[in-house]
């Protein structure tokens, strides 16, 4: 149900949408598992890199593999994102579910592995060749051995996400009622995982 806006939220310059939905109660290990469930269901993200003289530049990228709280992508070394990464190791990975309004934002550090990394062969699927093409020279084949094919790894250091706790109809009713009554809509939970939470998740995955 919508919640009343309080004077102390104004005085403290608090965003009531965040404060009223911020989840302090769910154990962090459960929050991590819910995070995994959300990103695994979406598969495709926006990978944002920092381009000198421009700023953040995003593009759609399918996740090749999630390893705990970290993400692997296969990409073409001829794309400008690799120039971005050479200049800045900071990146942002985001997901959104337009049906439920769930969203995830991951701030991380990027590393790049060249084509001799064995993980590329493990992650390669024939569908990937559609994004590389085959030159017909026996080298640039669009297959796992293609030297253009490289690995981008984003190691998370801060994660925030929001999960809906109502149906689509419930969302509309909640927002409509909040707008009519002057209250603040309460449709889900907002969570954040700090570096210590993320490292603990990595340790659990590796044990």
């Amino acid at each position: 149900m919508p919640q009343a806006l309080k004077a102390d939220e104004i005085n403290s310059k608090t965003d009531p949408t965040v404060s009223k939905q911020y989840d302090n109660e769910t154990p962090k290990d459960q929050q991590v598992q819910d995070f995994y469930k959300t990103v695994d269901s979406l598969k495709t993200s926006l990978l944002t890199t920092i381009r000198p003289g421009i700023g953040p530049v995003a593009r759609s990228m399918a996740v090749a593999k999630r390893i705990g709280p970290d993400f692997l992508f296969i990409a073409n070394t001829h794309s400008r994102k690799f120039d971005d990464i050479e200049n800045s190791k900071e990146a942002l990975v985001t997901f959104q579910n337009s049906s439920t309004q769930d969203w995830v934002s991951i701030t991380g550090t990027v590393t790049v592995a060249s084509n001799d990394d064995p993980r590329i062969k493990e992650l390669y699927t024939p569908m990937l060749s559609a994004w590389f093409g085959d030159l017909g020279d026996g080298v640039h084949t669009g297959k796992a051995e293609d030297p253009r094919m490289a690995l981008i790894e984003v190691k998370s250091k801060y994660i925030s996400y929001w999960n809906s706790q109502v149906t689509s109809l419930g969302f509309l009713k909640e927002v409509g009622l909040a707008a009519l009554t002057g209250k603040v809509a309460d449709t889900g939970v907002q969570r954040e995982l700090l570096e210590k939470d993320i490292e603990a998740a990595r340790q659990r995955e590796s044990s």
Side-chain angles (χ1 to χ4, degrees):
M1 292 291 291
Q3 300 183 46
L5 178 65
K6 298 178 181 179
D8 62 357
E9 291 172 321
I10 299 295
N11 296 333
S12 62
K13 297 183 179 180
T14 299
D15 182 346
T17 300
V18 175
S19 63
K20 294 182 183 304
Q21 299 185 100
Y22 191 85
D23 185 1
N24 280 314
E25 299 178 0
T26 304
K28 288 296 182 180
D29 57 348
Q30 183 59 53
Q31 292 191 29
V32 168
Q33 292 304 315
D34 290 344
F35 160 69
Y36 291 162
K37 182 179 179 181
T38 299
V39 296
D40 289 349
S41 69
L42 295 174
K43 306 293 185 184
T44 302
S45 69
L46 281 180
L47 172 63
T48 303
T49 52
I50 308 301
R51 185 161 297 167
I54 295 178
V57 177
R59 75 285 293 163
S60 179
M61 295 283 291
V63 175
K65 187 176 184 179
R66 175 184 63 76
I67 304 175
D70 306 316
F71 296 84
L72 297 177
F73 303 90
I74 291 179
N76 190 327
T77 57
H78 292 179
S79 67
R80 294 178 67 187
K81 67 177 74 67
F82 285 89
D83 295 330
D84 298 345
I85 293 168
E86 186 174 345
N87 282 281
S88 174
K89 304 303 181 187
E90 299 291 310
L92 182 70
V93 180
T94 55
F95 298 83
Q96 183 166 19
N97 186 325
S98 59
S99 298
T100 64
Q101 308 301 321
D102 290 358
W103 57 263
V104 179
S105 175
I106 302 149
T107 302
T109 304
V110 185
T111 57
V112 172
S114 60
N115 186 256
D116 57 3
D117 191 305
R119 292 177 294 177
I120 292 178
K121 288 185 178 180
E122 295 172 10
L123 297 172
Y124 174 80
T125 66
M127 293 298 291
L128 277 171
S129 63
W131 308 108
F132 287 81
D134 183 354
L135 183 61
D137 62 355
V139 177
H140 303 93
T141 61
K143 296 181 180 178
E145 298 79 12
D146 191 319
R148 297 172 296 164
M149 198 170 289
L151 203 62
I152 294 174
E153 181 171 9
V154 179
K155 296 189 75 69
S156 303
K157 62 181 182 181
Y158 175 76
I159 297 167
S160 61
Y161 71 95
W162 184 87
N163 277 166
S164 174
Q165 302 292 297
V166 297
T167 64
S168 297
L169 180 58
F171 181 91
L172 294 174
K173 289 175 65 176
E174 176 78 7
V175 172
L177 183 58
L180 286 172
T181 60
K183 295 183 177 181
V184 181
D186 183 2
T187 58
V189 292
Q190 184 161 341
R191 297 166 173 169
E192 64 178 351
L193 301 172
L194 305 179
E195 205 156 3
K196 62 180 181 180
D197 306 315
I198 295 168
E199 186 55 38
R202 280 196 195 99
Q203 294 298 325
R204 286 194 294 272
E205 287 291 317
S206 61
S207 62

